[in-house]
Amino acid sequence: MTDDEDDRLGRPDGHRYDAPESDETRVSKEWVYGALGLLVVVLMVLIATGKVQIFPGG
């Protein structure tokens, strides 16, 4: 591959083209984001009910 071909694939802002992610990668990310969101919600509920103290002694 020559330099001219490399320049053709690059964008003016300096980033190269990223191929679309596969369905397997996308689904995997969805599960991870869902689990992370659920963890945050559970932690917020525990803080709101007083089971987890953010500022002890207060």
Side-chain angles (χ1 to χ4, degrees):
M1 200 181 248
T2 65
D3 288 336
D4 291 336
E5 291 175 7
D6 285 340
D7 290 340
R8 183 174 47 99
L9 295 176
R11 296 189 328 212
D13 60 359
H15 295 285
R16 295 182 65 87
Y17 171 76
D18 291 330
E21 56 191 19
S22 67
D23 286 341
E24 181 179 324
T25 302
R26 184 182 46 78
V27 169
S28 175
K29 284 183 182 179
E30 288 175 359
W31 278 104
V32 170
Y33 289 141
L36 194 60
L38 182 62
L39 179 67
V40 168
V41 168
V42 168
L43 187 59
M44 288 173 61
V45 168
L46 289 174
I47 291 170
T49 59
K51 302 289 184 191
V52 175
Q53 294 181 355
I54 296 178
F55 303 108

